[in-house]
Amino acid sequence: MAKEQPLSSVYNAIRILQEFSDDIPVMGVSELGERLGIAKSTVHRLLCTLRETGLVEQDSHSHKYRLGIGMFVIGSVFYRSAELRAKAFPILVDLMQRVRRIVRLGIYDYGSVVYLCKLPEDKETRTFSSIGTRVPCHSTAVGKLLLAFQSSEEIERVLSLPSKPEPAIR
């Protein structure tokens, strides 16, 4: 069966959403267009649609965009329904109490680790592994461990990536 081609407008809208990060939480149309290699007019139309659905918000003064409350709602549905997190939570609590250290739960995602849980959830531990953070596998012990259990094809794919891989759209 032939692989279906992605719908380019949906693909580009997802790319726009994935461009926002902790490091760059606010961007304008021109900046997004440059970063993604998409025409400003297309970026503007996609942002208008994303704004209407609440997935992005526009600052009334700067006219720049940031992720909207709709993204939080969608992410929260996933977070609450993540079976792995629910099953692992009691084990993580027990482990945290035994080792008296911070414990984290991360999942492998296309060459990266995405953190689902960190215990204790206090604000005094300033690490890059807060919930929802995505980091390349090569930059953490958890990532290296998770990558080691992937197929040899996936390991080769990840090792051949540039040092700063693009977010994956599958």
Side-chain angles (χ1 to χ4, degrees):
M1 186 170 181
K3 183 177 177 182
E4 292 186 28
Q5 293 298 314
L7 189 59
S8 64
S9 58
V10 174
Y11 181 81
N12 285 332
I14 292 169
R15 289 178 61 213
I16 287 171
L17 293 172
Q18 289 181 325
E19 200 62 27
F20 293 95
S21 67
D22 288 338
D23 295 332
I24 308 173
V26 177
M27 285 182 271
V29 172
S30 297
E31 184 178 1
L32 281 162
E34 275 183 38
R35 292 173 66 95
L36 297 170
I38 301 173
K40 284 177 19 176
S41 59
T42 301
V43 171
H44 180 262
R45 287 192 322 272
L46 290 169
L47 284 167
C48 286
T49 302
L50 293 168
R51 186 184 63 221
E52 288 299 313
T53 62
L55 297 179
V56 298
E57 298 172 349
Q58 186 177 25
D59 183 274
S60 58
H61 297 358
S62 71
H63 301 290
K64 292 187 175 190
Y65 294 84
R66 66 181 160 270
L67 295 178
I69 193 72
M71 291 297 295
F72 177 76
V73 171
I74 291 169
S76 294
V77 170
F78 172 79
Y79 184 71
R80 287 189 307 272
S81 67
E83 186 177 338
L84 175 62
R85 183 189 170 279
K87 287 184 177 181
F89 194 78
I91 298 166
L92 293 170
V93 169
D94 182 55
L95 180 61
M96 178 190 66
Q97 291 170 345
R98 288 178 188 226
V99 299
R100 296 191 169 127
R101 297 279 189 266
I102 297 170
V103 295
R104 298 168 183 88
L105 174 64
I107 59 170
Y108 181 82
D109 185 45
Y110 206 67
S112 298
V113 175
V114 177
Y115 289 98
L116 300 180
C117 186
K118 179 179 115 180
L119 296 174
E121 294 179 339
D122 62 13
K123 294 181 181 178
E124 292 181 25
T125 55
R126 295 176 189 212
T127 63
F128 62 89
S129 60
S130 58
I131 295 171
T133 303
R134 173 186 297 276
V135 295
C137 280
H138 71 270
S139 66
T140 68
V142 169
K144 291 171 189 156
L145 175 72
L146 292 172
L147 184 59
F149 287 92
Q150 301 304 310
S151 68
S152 57
E153 294 83 15
E154 177 65 0
I155 293 170
E156 287 301 317
R157 187 194 66 76
V158 171
L159 293 177
S160 69
L161 290 173
S163 61
K164 186 179 180 203
E166 295 292 320
I169 299 177
R170 291 173 295 290

